[in-house]
Amino acid sequence: MANDFLLPTQYLGAGERLLHGKALSSAVAPGRAEDWVRLDTDVFNGTLGRVAGWKVSSRIEIGGHWFDDCEIADWESAPYWREGDDPAGADDHTGAGDPTGAAPSWGCPPTASELALCLCHADARVRAAALDTGGAAAPLPLLLLRCADGDERVRGRARRAFTEALAGADDGSAGSLAALALRIGHRRHGGWARDVVLARTGGIREPAVQELLASGGWQGAEARLAGIRAGAEAGLLDADALYRIALTAARDNSERLEAVRAAFATGHGTAARKRFIAFLDACENSEVRVGALRHALSAHFPSLGDLTDLAVGHRDRHVRRLAARALLGLPGADTVLDRLLAAADGTVRGAAVGRLRAAARPADLEPYLTDPSPWVRGLAARELRAAGGDPHARYRALCADPETVTPPAVSGLAEQRDLRDAPMLEALTRHTDGAVRARALGGLRRLGVLAADALVPYADDPDPRVAAVVLRGLRDDPVVLRALLAHPHARVRARVLVHLAHRHHIGWNEALPLLTDPAKEVSRAARGALRAARGEVTVAQLVALTAPGEPPERRALAMQLLACSYEPEALLTALRLVDDPLPAVRAAARGDAYRVLWDRAAARSPHADEIRALAERHRERLTVWLAETRRRNRALRNR
């Protein structure tokens, strides 16, 4: 096989091919802009370790085997800056001048692959020496990349060589550089190269833009961004094409937002604004929606009516709230306050309520004292107080009549935190509406006038909202919570179990009787508590719970917990129960039984003979179960 040809392989990068002495065409075929950029990046990263003085090595996996990375590509053997007897003559940072006794460690003369490696090298002195040696004869794409180099001396050499080479290049060679020039044009020093190439090729052409947009993978994100910018600048991508990119770009949100920003430049009329609103409705990515709206606000793109519609009706709460904040900072916002005050989003309503006093409408604040949102109620009370009103007196008046009192009014009264309101709240705990009773009980807790033991009788309330308030108040008292494990209401027993399992310790023996509770919610909570207490029970106890005489709930949970154990007794139990009549037990047993195919510890256990016999009996079925599990797992990973 010729030395300049290498079959395609996933194990060698572009720079590694050059390191193995392959031709430049093998490293960058088919020679797209992104291929040259990746070559440059690959060589730079490979040689950076030697330049920085790092002594690192890592192991990489190829197929089923592990190798030291130096076995694949030893970058220590790449060209480097070799100091001679007179290193003082060298420019340590730029490679300027013609130092005596210091030079790159390449062949004499350097091969084409060595020259390409040096043009992309991490050491600026090596890059400068490669330009001095290759000059205008160096590959045009690499010269173009060096025209945007971060080192001034390298950049100057490259631009002189590139100007000479471009003057002698045919139109086809110059045209092939257009995509690469657009790709690096937005780098800090890339403007010169972009302008020179476009001046020669007659501006931005569609093939170059399409090449950049077609760059794949996460590595091609910058190329796609450059393609979006160039296509929009040249008018090759209209608003529909840009919004289509913004909706379909799969990997990088920056591409979507770049497309949206470019679309703003295509027009600011009514049709353009409607197209942008349609994009916000169609986009499924919340981060992109919010970012697009931020860019639109910076460009003064949406109108007052557009922002009002977004604040009131958009499905994304982040878009609604951003639109409301922006809207209230615009002239004429007071004319749309009524629409914001009727919004379903409490944050949007609150923003409008906070604006009422400044809009000379303090009389409209009172209805929002009983808003469902605590934040809106607090804003309304603050603004009413600032306008000279008395929100506390208003709340007392609203709660004085049991016939007209509402749950938000009770919450608002409690939020005033006045101990003189305790008798009124205590009376409301006997109201016919469960929501009012729950809010009143919560208000008493907020005021700190209700002891923990005084909460227990309220747990018998038939309304679950009252019981929820009681259990929140008792969640830090494990003694009272344990006393409620025998409560007649299933929802109380279930919540008590959850609080005990998450905030306190509930033992295995304490939670086990509740596993067979007739209420499903209690049984489900007990199952979670028993899983948390798994460390308290032995494998032998779990095996005993799988006996046919035990309740089905206990048998199923015990087998599921045994399936998470690697003890030989657990494996033996699984093999015994692979055909159990109870589906939950049978499924857990089969999920654990195929472990016998590789479990060597089981073969050395006292149960080895029985395990071996059962494994032999079910061998074919075990193989099928294992294959089905692997196939199912692959399908889940690839979804």
Side-chain angles (χ1 to χ4, degrees):
M1 183 180 295
N3 193 49
D4 62 348
F5 181 76
L6 187 68
L7 289 174
T9 170
Q10 60 179 318
Y11 304 136
L12 289 179
E16 292 166 346
R17 291 168 182 259
L18 294 181
L19 197 62
H20 284 273
K22 306 306 173 183
L24 192 59
S25 58
S26 176
V28 295
R32 299 163 301 188
E34 199 57 23
D35 296 328
W36 290 103
V37 172
R38 289 180 185 176
L39 170 65
D40 187 38
T41 303
D42 192 24
V43 175
F44 184 92
N45 292 337
T47 55
L48 183 61
R50 178 154 193 156
V51 174
W54 299 335
K55 298 297 182 183
V56 295
S57 180
S58 61
R59 292 177 63 78
I60 57 176
E61 185 179 12
I62 298 179
H65 304 282
W66 288 87
F67 298 90
D68 189 287
D69 57 359
C70 291
E71 297 180 58
I72 307 302
D74 186 3
W75 284 101
E76 290 292 312
S77 63
Y80 63 94
W81 190 256
R82 179 178 54 201
E83 299 291 352
D85 297 332
D86 185 17
D91 186 334
D92 289 342
H93 301 287
T94 65
D98 185 16
T100 302
S105 63
W106 55 30
C108 295
T111 64
S113 57
E114 283 181 326
L115 193 61
L117 282 171
C118 292
L119 284 169
C120 305
H121 204 280
D123 194 330
R125 297 171 297 183
V126 177
R127 298 198 298 274
L131 287 167
D132 289 338
T133 299
L140 269 174
L142 292 182
L143 283 178
L144 182 60
L145 284 170
R146 296 285 67 81
C147 289
D149 199 280
D151 189 278
E152 183 179 359
R153 300 295 182 89
V154 174
R155 198 163 58 244
R157 285 172 163 83
R159 290 179 179 180
R160 289 191 295 271
F162 183 74
T163 302
E164 178 185 347
L166 187 63
D170 56 55
D171 292 342
S173 300
S176 66
L177 297 173
L180 183 57
L182 294 174
R183 169 70 171 80
I184 66 173
H186 290 275
R187 291 183 179 180
R188 181 179 180 184
H189 303 291
W192 182 92
R194 183 180 189 272
D195 294 341
V196 168
V197 173
L198 294 184
R200 170 66 187 274
T201 59
I204 300 173
R205 302 297 183 187
E206 186 172 3
V209 173
Q210 292 303 324
E211 177 185 327
L212 294 173
L213 292 176
S215 298
W218 62 269
Q219 293 175 312
E222 289 188 22
R224 295 191 294 271
L225 282 173
I228 293 169
R229 296 185 186 114
E233 177 186 342
L236 299 173
L237 298 174
D238 59 11
D240 287 339
L242 290 167
Y243 279 122
R244 188 161 52 249
I245 292 173
L247 287 172
T248 58
R251 291 181 175 270
D252 194 345
N253 287 345
S254 62
E255 297 172 45
R256 298 186 174 198
L257 294 176
E258 184 65 37
V260 172
R261 282 196 295 267
F264 295 155
T266 61
H268 282 69
T270 302
R273 294 201 308 273
K274 287 183 178 179
R275 185 68 184 82
F276 173 67
I277 300 301
F279 163 75
L280 289 182
D281 289 336
C283 182
E284 295 298 329
N285 187 312
S286 178
E287 182 181 347
V288 173
R289 289 194 295 261
V290 174
L293 182 55
R294 289 188 189 279
H295 291 312
L297 293 171
S298 300
H300 306 290
F301 195 69
S303 66
L304 188 72
D306 295 333
L307 290 175
T308 305
D309 292 339
L310 290 173
V312 172
H314 199 275
R315 60 194 169 98
D316 188 336
R317 69 179 186 275
H318 302 295
V319 171
R320 291 195 301 267
R321 295 168 187 181
L322 176 58
R325 289 195 300 270
L327 172 63
L328 293 175
L330 295 177
D334 292 346
T335 62
V336 297
L337 278 182
D338 289 329
R339 288 194 63 191
L340 298 183
L341 289 169
D345 190 320
T347 303
V348 174
R349 288 198 311 277
V353 167
R355 183 67 176 262
L356 283 173
R357 183 168 60 90
R361 297 173 54 182
D364 294 334
L365 287 167
E366 282 198 7
Y368 297 97
L369 292 174
T370 55
D371 192 274
S373 168
W375 186 61
V376 176
R377 290 197 301 268
L379 280 171
R382 186 194 69 185
E383 293 296 309
L384 185 61
R385 192 177 297 111
D390 187 354
H392 186 208
R394 181 59 183 157
Y395 275 124
R396 288 187 63 86
L398 290 170
C399 296
D401 186 358
E403 296 297 326
T404 60
V405 68
T406 61
V410 178
S411 294
L413 180 63
E415 287 160 3
Q416 302 305 303
R417 295 181 179 273
D418 193 325
L419 288 174
R420 292 173 296 177
D421 299 328
M424 182 177 289
L425 290 171
E426 198 278 332
L428 290 172
T429 60
R430 296 182 292 277
H431 197 273
T432 56
D433 186 350
V436 171
R437 296 197 302 273
R439 301 290 182 93
L441 191 61
L444 291 173
R445 284 190 57 235
R446 183 188 292 266
L447 294 177
V449 298
L450 200 62
D453 54 354
L455 278 171
V456 175
Y458 292 100
D460 295 325
D461 193 288
D463 194 293
R465 290 168 291 189
V466 177
V469 174
V470 171
L471 292 174
R472 280 199 301 270
L474 297 176
R475 60 188 176 185
D476 291 325
D477 192 333
V479 175
V480 177
L481 286 176
R482 281 185 164 84
L484 290 173
L485 283 174
H487 198 275
H489 289 308
R491 62 177 178 270
V492 173
R493 299 195 300 275
R495 292 305 302 168
V496 165
L497 269 171
V498 171
H499 285 318
L500 285 172
H502 288 180
R503 306 178 68 87
H504 310 285
H505 176 71
I506 181 168
W508 174 274
N509 294 328
E510 192 176 5
L512 187 60
L514 292 166
L515 184 63
T516 55
D517 192 289
K520 290 185 178 180
E521 55 187 321
V522 179
S523 178
R524 184 165 54 248
R527 194 178 302 116
L530 288 168
R531 288 182 182 278
R534 164 68 180 85
E536 299 179 14
V537 63
T538 64
V539 171
Q541 289 174 302
L542 290 175
V543 170
L545 287 174
T546 64
E550 292 290 334
E553 296 85 0
R554 295 189 182 185
R555 296 189 68 228
L557 178 64
M559 190 61 247
Q560 290 164 6
L561 294 178
L562 281 171
C564 300
S565 170
Y566 287 92
E567 296 295 328
E569 294 84 350
L571 179 58
L572 176 60
T573 304
L575 289 168
R576 288 171 175 172
L577 298 177
V578 292
D579 292 318
D580 193 89
L582 193 64
V585 173
R586 186 169 62 248
R590 291 184 176 184
D592 187 45
Y594 55 68
R595 177 165 55 92
V596 73
L597 298 175
W598 62 79
D599 193 336
R600 297 180 180 179
R604 297 191 297 268
S605 71
H607 312 285
D609 293 339
E610 186 177 358
I611 289 175
R612 193 177 301 110
L614 289 171
E616 200 57 42
R617 182 192 307 171
H618 300 300
R619 180 168 297 279
E620 290 186 8
R621 302 168 70 195
L622 291 171
T623 305
V624 171
W625 296 336
L626 178 59
E628 289 177 352
T629 301
R630 288 177 172 172
R631 185 164 53 250
R632 187 166 54 249
N633 291 340
R634 282 196 301 270
L636 290 174
R637 285 197 301 268
N638 296 331
R639 258 196 327 193

